[in-house]
Each structure stands twice: as structure tokens, then as C-alpha cells.
Amino acid sequence: MAVALGGLSGAVVPVSHQAEGPNGGGVRQQSNTPPTPIYIVAHQDDWQLFMGDDVASRLGTGAAATFIYLTAGDDGRDSTYWVTREQAALESTRIASGAYVRGRDTTCDRTRITGHIIRRCRLGNTTSYFLRLPDGKRNGAGFARAGFQSMRKLQRKKLASLNAVDRSTAYAGWPDLVATVDALARAASVDSTVVLNSTDPSIGINPHDHFDHRVAGLLVDEIRKRHSWPARYYVGYAVASRAANRSAKLTQLKTAVFRAYDDVMIRANPAWSAYAEHPAFYSECMQRTYSRSVPRRIHP
């Protein structure tokens, strides 16, 4: 069943935070103070596609959240394209947050963390970081514009360093990148417990995914083990091949935040619509969210 993106309002009605089971049944959080989520994703539309209903359910309560976007999502293109993707991601965050950010402006600056300059944007109770690493292409080979650099090559020690596409900084090896994202996550955990969210690094559970998605999950797995933090891993591209498992309400939530992203892209250039490239795939993603939880480790 296809979902007509054009037929939905951009507004998101806040709902109580709950996780939905694979058959559509809601399971309420047991704690009144759930941990602050940190969403660590490769590209600017990843969370909307693979976890958008969960994110909107959480932000719709006015809760805080941190987003860390690892790559520029440049697709081998110039800054006009990837800067628009950042704006589109922030608009999705605004829509997901609903009334809690109405009338508020996004404020952006640059922050220095572990010696690296990173773009930071604040909107309501959310903070977004854009590391602007090169898009690695689906196979991890990278694009010519960025010298065929990619996170996959850095993680596999095929590169000694990795430059941000805006030349703001360079990461001296995989441990440097992990340490930087770790520092951003620890900053978000100062006043509360956290749960890390990313695309699933398991090939068995999440086959045929973009290598940037997989490397994002591998990075999160390293950070999780350092602190014994809990994590939630989401199925990426393979989610479209699974059975639909979202209720009508959650499908609408997910569609609204993805549509907010796509509308910004279309206004900049109609040819940049992700939905128009693969309507069936994106419609299927709206009706499906599959994830698994990895509990925190308790040391003896």
C-alpha cells in the first residue's frame, strides 16, 4: 500500500511516548523519566526514514534530544546541496517537536570539541551537530569530489585521515572520530542518562544497507561499550522489504517529518526530492519501523 505524502498536513500532534511492537501494539515506558535520546546517523534524512515515528513521539512531549549527523550527505555534490539537506533536517526536527518550538528560531554556531570545529544548531530542546564528513556512497567507495574518502575507509584503516567537506577540520584516524562523537554524547549525558540510537551495524539483521549507515552503527557500538550505555538499533534500507507494522497514527507521524525534509529540498530544487526518485520505497518506509534494544551492561 502506497502512502500519498502530498495528502498529509505538516503538523504533528504530540502523543505520549511509547514504543510500538512489531504487530502495532503499544508498550508504555515504565519510567517517568526516560533517558535522553542521542540520534547518531549518517545522513540528514536517515532518522526520518528509519525511526521517524519514534523520534516524533519522543519530541512531541517536549523532551530533549541530541542529533549527530556524521556526513554532509553530499552525494558527491557541492555545498548548495548539502547545506540545504542540513536545513531540511532541522525543519524535520521542528515539525517533530510540534508546539514546543512554535515561534522559536533555530540558532546555529560553531563549537570546538576534541580540537575539531563542528557546526551546532539549537531548536527548542534539541541540539544538532553536523560533522560534514564526505558521503561514502552506498558501497563505501566515496565520491571523486571528496577524493574518494569515506568513513568506511577510515574505519578499515584504508585512510590515515578524513577531511570534512567544508575543510573545517580533519580526523586523524578512526579513534579520533570515535573520540569526538563520544565527547558530544558525553556532553548530552551530563544531567541525565542517555540511550544511543543509530542504524543497525549487524549485516545479518540489517542486510544490504548503505555503508555509511553501517559504519554509523559500528561507531555507536564502540561508544556504547565504553560507557555501558543502552542503545537502540534500527533497520535501514532493508526495512522496506519487511511487513508493514506501524499504526495509522504512527505512519502519519513518520510521513509528516519525512515530508518536512522533502519539502525543503523541493523548494530549493524540485529535482532534489528523495520521494520522487523512489516513491514506492519511501512509501514503504513510512509504514515500517524495525529496531532492537541493547541494554546497558552492569559491571560486577
Side-chain angles (χ1 to χ4, degrees):
M1 179 179 69
V3 176
L5 296 184
L8 289 177
S9 166
V12 174
V13 179
V15 299
S16 60
H17 180 58
Q18 61 181 34
E20 185 171 52
N23 297 317
V27 179
R28 291 188 179 277
Q29 291 278 8
Q30 296 300 312
S31 172
N32 291 325
T33 55
T36 298
I38 302 176
Y39 302 101
I40 302 175
V41 294
H43 310 117
Q44 288 66 33
D45 62 350
D46 286 350
W47 67 261
Q48 299 90 321
L49 288 175
F50 309 130
M51 56 189 89
D53 53 311
D54 284 356
V55 176
S57 295
R58 171 72 180 177
L59 267 60
T61 67
T66 295
F67 296 84
I68 301 174
Y69 300 91
L70 299 174
T71 81
D74 53 280
D75 194 36
R77 310 186 203 191
D78 64 22
S79 61
T80 304
Y81 178 76
W82 54 260
V83 167
T84 304
R85 291 198 75 178
E86 293 181 357
Q87 295 167 348
L90 291 169
E91 183 60 19
S92 286
T93 306
R94 180 187 299 279
I95 293 300
S97 299
Y100 294 97
V101 297
R102 187 171 297 154
R104 299 186 187 180
D105 293 328
T106 303
T107 59
C108 297
D109 57 17
R110 289 190 165 199
T111 185
R112 182 182 294 273
I113 190 83
T114 64
H116 298 290
I117 301 297
I118 297 172
R119 181 170 175 78
R120 174 180 59 188
C121 295
R122 294 188 173 98
L123 174 64
N125 292 328
T126 71
T127 303
S128 299
Y129 296 97
F130 299 93
L131 274 64
R132 295 179 170 176
L133 298 174
D135 189 322
K137 206 172 184 177
R138 181 161 183 167
N139 62 2
F143 291 92
R145 182 183 287 272
F148 298 103
Q149 298 181 90
S150 72
M151 291 195 300
R152 184 191 186 199
K153 291 180 179 179
L154 191 74
Q155 190 265 339
R156 299 182 68 180
K157 300 182 180 179
K158 302 293 184 182
L159 289 177
S161 63
L162 185 61
N163 296 300
V165 296
D166 62 354
R167 299 291 174 178
S168 58
T169 192
Y171 294 87
W174 176 251
D176 187 18
L177 176 60
V178 173
T180 301
V181 178
D182 184 10
L184 293 173
R186 282 187 284 112
S189 71
V190 170
D191 297 321
S192 64
T193 58
V194 300
V195 58
L196 305 178
N197 298 264
S198 191
T199 34
D200 203 314
S202 168
I203 295 175
I205 296 172
N206 184 26
H208 314 302
D209 207 4
H210 195 299
F211 265 105
D212 284 349
H213 299 169
R214 196 171 313 288
V215 174
L218 290 171
L219 188 153
V220 167
D221 211 39
E222 288 199 29
I223 295 173
R224 177 187 68 80
K225 291 174 182 176
R226 289 184 178 191
H227 306 286
S228 298
W229 283 339
R232 180 174 288 274
Y233 293 128
Y234 290 80
V235 174
Y237 287 159
V239 74
S241 65
R242 300 196 179 187
N245 67 348
R246 298 295 89 179
S247 66
K249 177 183 282 188
L250 293 185
T251 296
Q252 184 181 35
L253 282 175
K254 197 172 189 183
T255 303
V257 294
F258 175 71
R259 181 189 172 188
Y261 168 89
D262 213 42
D263 282 351
V264 172
M265 300 302 292
I266 291 169
R267 285 196 295 271
N269 187 332
W272 290 349
S273 169
Y275 177 75
E277 291 180 4
H278 303 288
F281 168 78
Y282 287 107
S283 293
E284 288 160 355
C285 288
M286 297 303 101
Q287 300 172 76
R288 296 156 172 81
T289 299
Y290 279 84
S291 64
R292 63 184 174 102
S293 293
V294 181
R296 62 185 288 268
R297 295 192 308 173
I298 301 175
H299 296 290

